[in-house]
Amino acid sequence: MPHDDFKVPNIRRRPDRVSQEQWERFVVGLFPKLTTTTHQLVPVASGSAAMQFDVVPMLPGDHSSPAQHDVQRAVHRVVLRGDRHADMRGDSHCTCPAFRYGVYGTCSHLLFARSQCDGSISNLPIPTYSEIFVRHGLKREIVFRPAPDAPRIVLKAARSCFDARGLLSFERHPALKTLIERTADCRHELRIDNDVFARLAFEMQQRERHRKIMTMFRRGVHSSAFDSLLTTPLAAYQREAALNAAVTGRFLLFDSPGLGRRRTAVAAAEILAQTVGVQRVFVLTNTPTLHTWLAELQQSTSRQSQVIFGSSAKRAGRYNADVQYSVACYDDLKDDLAVITGRMKPGLIILDETHTLKRHGAETARIVRRLESEYLFILSGAAPARVPGPFVSFVDMIDRHRTGLLDNFLARHQQFDLRNNSVSYANMGNVANTLPQHFRRFESSEYRRSLPELITHDRFLPLTETQAKRHADLQNRLFHLASGFGLQKRRQASEVGFQESDSELLPEVRSLKSEAFVALHEIQATIAEMLRVANDMICCRPEIGNLPGGNLTVGCKIDTMFDLLQEHLESPQVKAVVFAHDVKLLQSARAKLAGSPVECGLIDRYMPAYEQKDANMRFQREPNCRVVFVSDGAASRLVFRNVQLVIHLDFPWDADRIRQRQTHIEPHPVLRPCHAYQLISYGTVEHWLAKLRGGHELFIESDLRDGHSVVLLDEPNRVQFIEHVLTMLEQVKEPPMVIPAG
């Protein structure tokens, strides 16, 4: 941040009961006070009604002339207009971020300049020119201020486009040309700020974009253009939201979880790409949803997409890639900001999971609010009533041009007490009526009843450094073991499109040599340990995890589970079931909710049947018991009713196991659909198997997972086992995502 770029004050609106004088005193107290010992005021233009100055900070020990501006200092140009109330109205102007992004119409630099030259302003000569400028505040307006001796013909031309308060109506902006011509004919001076033309250009761009989109989608949501927009179908409500988002350009999509907000955002991005030529789309999200986004993009559009992850050098290289969609995480934003703004310059920014922004720190949230792009979509699964404070910032972001959305929102929902500086928000459930074209949160009960009972989501997650190192060691060992069974030969054959017979590829398996027995057993043990690593259960030896005090390290799956529970348990009627095979993993997951007000139960296969039944009855009958953790092998007759959320912590590739777990679930008859999340560690053995979901019967249906040795199988099954191993290893293409442990 520059030397004296101050923090932008929080957004407040003047209460109706507070006088203008009281409000001005409050606003002045929001900004740091500048003094002559820290700043200098350098005149730029004087002798007119608009006085221009440069506010120059003085570095410690600086005795340079005020006119000698150091390029490293945050020098800001201020323009003072009118009386002392002009600052609070937004008539004056400053180039600093506090004025540009703020809503008060003033800043520390304007207040400092005003205090230094109040006497000069009072003695200003009467202006001899008329002026058109932009008034800053909660709503930006184009203002016409005539000179006292302005000719009648100029005033008449001004009345054709400006109202009695001197404010421009955009519908009458073509009359501005007539006003300029009349002033020129009368040889009357008319000064127009550059901000005026930028404001007019924005309004014209809005209307032109609306015209192009409506030309392409003449029948709205029923337009045939939607059929070829994405490679996946869109529901009617998704089409409507995508159209609104593309037309407005800056949109809040606060959908309920599972209603396809990411696909809606991609559809809106494609509309902008085909109508106004948006080339680069930059998606910012949480680390666990990086590859969820990539999967959605690869499924929905044929355009190139990439995930930006890894070291700083690797990320910098990917920002230069010529792809339309780039997905990055909030945690890397601070380090990559210069590359994003200098090289990438996205036309559209999509912010996903914005309700979790506060977890990434205040500085990250500040940077996100200052990212520059013409188009912006903000996505979240949380209701505005849950995050009213951040929601104000989101409305501020989509109302960058101050069209009045923010002013209307604060007037209807913010309750500010000036006496004790307390802020509260009311009627947040009615935000859709406040921002009718810029916001959507779909809650229709009719739509919910039309949804399928179950919607499955794959959530790809990173590994910690400890997990990644352990998994890499095991992976190298697995490749070494598999090389003895023709892995390299199999790969070479597949590259030329030739498949050799099993007898040529796997002689060691058929010959039953002692070395083959040992290798098969080690392959089995290595895969089992790799699965434990991917499931957040890192142990030096597989058997240590079953002993008290074993070497256990928890990875990212439990944190992601906690985030999903927080998101979905927002509704008091929702109940959730978390499945896992490893009981210790379930215990660690349950411990994550220890400090939560939500009660939870645990059902594992080692509990007596009557205890499992009692735990289920408590889950069904007690309103506050809303989460139950269930291990595989529990009583087969257990049925969990009124469930709307299911989380699978492990075995996402085991289709039979997932189906078996789902037989215990009875969705809520009203709160539909039921969402099932499968947590997959990206780039690990469970990810490789997930790509071949349902194609590895030996890994799924055999009793190998119960501790039996593969060498006890008969010859055809041994051959099939190693064939499945080699096929799985062919899926190894990308390394795991890695984040620092802890």
Side-chain angles (χ1 to χ4, degrees), residues 172 215 273 418 437 469 632:
R172 294 184 287 177
T215 300
L418 188 63
Q437 300 301 323
K469 184 179 183 304
D632 294 326

Side-chain angles (χ1 to χ4, degrees), residues 80-311:
L80 300 180
R81 291 189 178 95
D83 57 19
R84 66 182 184 86
H85 298 290
D87 296 349
M88 301 304 175
R89 292 195 304 264
D91 290 353
S92 299
H93 186 270
C94 181
T95 58
C96 72
F99 180 85
R100 180 182 179 186
Y101 297 111
V103 297
Y104 298 106
T106 190
C107 65
S108 296
H109 307 96
L110 284 173
L111 296 173
F112 174 69
R114 181 73 62 177
S115 66
Q116 294 299 303
C117 55
D118 263 340
S120 301
I121 291 179
S122 62
N123 297 325
L124 282 177
I126 298 175
T128 59
Y129 60 86
S130 300
E131 188 176 14
I132 301 177
F133 59 90
V134 175
R135 175 176 291 166
H136 285 248
L138 279 171
K139 186 175 182 180
R140 291 181 184 172
E141 301 164 319
I142 298 178
V143 180
F144 172 69
R145 190 172 63 183
D149 58 347
R152 288 186 177 180
I153 190 172
V154 172
L155 297 178
K156 181 179 179 180
R159 284 194 294 270
S160 64
C161 50
F162 291 90
D163 60 18
R165 297 176 299 163
L167 304 180
L168 175 69
S169 174
F170 184 76
E171 287 73 15
R172 294 184 287 177
H173 83 277
L176 273 176
K177 181 179 179 181
T178 303
L179 174 60
I180 296 174
E181 292 174 350
R182 294 292 180 270
T183 56
D185 294 340
C186 299
R187 297 183 181 276
H188 177 69
E189 184 180 2
L190 176 64
R191 298 184 180 182
I192 305 177
D193 282 357
N194 291 331
D195 289 349
V196 173
F197 298 109
R199 183 73 180 176
L200 292 175
F202 163 73
E203 295 286 353
M204 296 175 66
Q205 183 186 37
Q206 285 276 91
R207 299 195 173 202
E208 179 64 13
R209 181 173 64 251
H210 183 273
R211 184 192 66 80
K212 289 182 177 180
I213 294 176
M214 289 298 101
T215 300
M216 183 176 179
F217 298 89
R218 294 182 182 275
R219 299 182 59 200
V221 298
H222 303 292
S223 301
S224 58
F226 275 112
D227 298 336
S228 58
L229 185 66
L230 299 181
T231 56
T232 52
L234 289 167
Y237 73 93
Q238 290 176 310
R239 296 183 176 194
E240 180 183 3
L243 270 180
N244 285 340
V247 167
T248 59
R250 305 177 77 83
F251 195 77
L252 293 168
L253 187 57
F254 274 55
D255 250 350
S256 298
L259 298 187
R261 61 179 179 270
R262 296 184 181 93
R263 185 168 299 176
T264 302
V266 175
E270 288 296 310
I271 293 175
L272 291 175
Q274 296 182 20
T275 54
V276 296
V278 172
Q279 296 297 324
R280 289 185 177 235
V281 181
F282 183 46
V283 182
L284 276 170
T285 185
N286 286 341
T287 303
T289 57
L290 281 175
H291 285 273
T292 303
W293 260 101
L294 183 62
E296 179 63 52
L297 290 169
Q298 292 175 344
Q299 183 181 8
S300 300
T301 178
S302 58
R303 301 181 191 267
Q304 290 185 331
S305 56
Q306 66 173 350
V307 168
I308 300 176
F309 202 86
S311 64

Side-chain angles (χ1 to χ4, degrees), residues 538-578:
I538 305 176
C539 304
C540 296
R541 295 189 304 275
E543 63 271 22
I544 293 181
N546 299 323
L547 300 176
N551 182 18
L552 174 66
T553 303
V554 178
C556 301
K557 285 192 174 182
I558 294 179
D559 288 337
T560 304
M561 174 211 70
F562 184 72
D563 293 340
L564 290 173
L565 289 175
Q566 280 192 317
E567 184 176 342
H568 284 265
L569 296 184
E570 186 179 299
S571 173
Q573 296 177 290
V574 174
K575 295 203 171 189
V577 180
V578 181

Side-chain angles (χ1 to χ4, degrees), residues 481 516-526 707-711 721:
L481 293 170
F517 281 124
V518 175
L520 283 175
H521 178 75
E522 290 185 353
I523 286 176
Q524 178 188 355
T526 302
H708 294 77
S709 176
V710 67
V711 299
F721 174 81

Side-chain angles (χ1 to χ4, degrees), residues 708-739:
H708 294 77
S709 176
V710 67
V711 299
L712 299 179
L713 300 175
D714 54 16
E715 179 182 323
N717 287 338
R718 285 196 302 271
V719 173
Q720 189 177 12
F721 174 81
I722 196 62
E723 276 287 334
H724 288 160
V725 172
L726 299 181
T727 303
M728 177 190 70
L729 293 180
E730 291 176 351
Q731 303 299 315
V732 182
K733 296 180 180 179
E734 296 187 31
M737 294 187 294
V738 182
I739 61 173

